[in-house]
Amino acid sequence: MTIRSARVIFYTAAIFNWVAAVILLPASGLAGHLGAQPIGNTLFEQGLLVAIVVFGIGYWMVGRNPADNRDIVKLGALGKVGLVALAIYHYFLVKDIPFGTLALGSGDVIYSALFVSHLLSGPRERVSGGAREKAV
């Protein structure tokens, strides 16, 4: 994976997270229009909203320097896979979320695969002081 393609992946992942946060924010009213369930008003539900935004910031940081921020990518991949697993569990087994919520989480499946692909490709270049250099 080239540094350019990695940057596109992580910048769009950041934007995806931020858009999801706006959609899930109860005040936006967007979740209901999309057949999804908005985040509730409990501390833990709002904490999830904060985590979505913070992970978006992390993905933006990776986009700025993909080779040096691989640990953020590992956390992001793990978080996205975990969230998708929870969404599948709640939709199919607990049956307490609408399909729109599951569909919104489907973007996490795509990004988790892209994150793993980035990790498996290994660092190709590092950005140091604005100059590119080959990673060791």
Side-chain angles (χ1 to χ4, degrees):
M1 179 176 297
T2 67
I3 194 167
R4 180 182 171 107
S5 61
R7 283 184 167 151
V8 168
I9 288 168
F10 293 105
Y11 285 145
T12 61
I15 294 166
F16 175 82
N17 268 43
W18 297 330
V19 168
V22 170
I23 289 170
L24 295 172
L25 185 67
S28 76
L30 294 173
H33 292 298
L34 299 173
Q37 182 178 0
I39 296 291
N41 289 319
T42 70
L43 172 64
F44 293 108
E45 290 171 311
Q46 291 178 354
L48 173 63
L49 199 60
V50 170
I52 292 168
V53 171
V54 169
F55 268 93
I57 293 167
Y59 303 147
W60 194 268
M61 291 167 62
V62 174
R64 292 185 60 204
N65 196 335
D68 285 343
N69 289 300
R70 294 173 60 80
D71 288 340
I72 296 173
V73 179
K74 292 173 189 175
L75 288 172
L78 183 61
K80 287 190 177 298
V81 167
L83 187 63
V84 169
L86 279 172
I88 289 169
Y89 170 76
H90 278 272
Y91 182 76
F92 288 105
L93 298 175
V94 180
K95 301 179 189 266
D96 66 345
I97 64 170
F99 179 77
T101 301
L102 178 66
L104 184 60
S106 69
D108 283 339
V109 171
I110 296 164
Y111 279 110
S112 63
L114 291 169
F115 288 10
V116 169
S117 174
H118 170 73
L119 290 169
L120 293 175
S121 70
R124 296 291 184 237
E125 300 178 70
R126 295 186 191 273
V127 177
S128 177
R132 291 186 182 166
E133 53 189 54
K134 291 290 179 186
V136 184

